[in-house]
Amino acid sequence: MDEPAETISGDFPTAEHLRKHALIRSGFHDKRSLVASSKAEALRLAAFVEPMDEYAIVTILGSMVEVYTAKSNRTGRWSAASFRRARLRCWSGLAR
């Protein structure tokens, strides 16, 4: 994926952070749901899980923790058409 020409904001300290965030938000992600016994336990679980992948997006819904990680778009893992589709969806999502 090409890097944007403009400076990356404080939300994305590197181009890799922006790229993986865009992949996740565009639907090119793996999702894991973890159910805790309470909302307080979900908060502790999310705090434990979050540092495991600096690019992951971790959300809490009641007592459930959802962890989204970007799918790898390394050459050879996706077809050329899938790669183009992902790139277009990511860039159009960032433009909104």
Side-chain angles (χ1 to χ4, degrees):
M1 190 177 295
D2 298 330
E3 291 185 27
E6 55 274 356
T7 304
I8 299 169
S9 75
D11 292 339
F12 308 106
T14 67
E16 188 70 2
H17 284 84
L18 177 62
R19 185 182 72 78
K20 290 199 177 201
H21 183 84
L23 282 167
I24 293 168
R25 292 294 184 200
S26 298
F28 296 94
H29 62 261
D30 292 314
K31 176 182 167 187
R32 290 161 191 82
S33 298
L34 308 164
V35 180
S37 59
S38 66
K39 185 171 184 172
E41 183 63 27
L43 290 168
R44 286 190 290 276
L45 184 58
F48 175 76
V49 169
E50 203 164 24
M52 292 180 179
D53 182 344
E54 67 180 300
Y55 305 113
I57 295 175
V58 179
T59 61
I60 302 168
L61 301 168
S63 63
M64 185 165 57
V65 177
E66 294 180 332
V67 182
Y68 298 87
T69 54
K71 288 193 177 206
S72 172
N73 63 354
R74 223 178 307 164
T75 306
R77 293 208 176 176
W78 291 8
S79 68
S82 294
F83 183 80
R84 279 193 302 277
R85 187 171 48 253
R87 187 171 61 185
L88 289 172
R89 279 176 48 188
C90 287
W91 286 120
S92 65
L94 290 172
R96 288 184 214 153

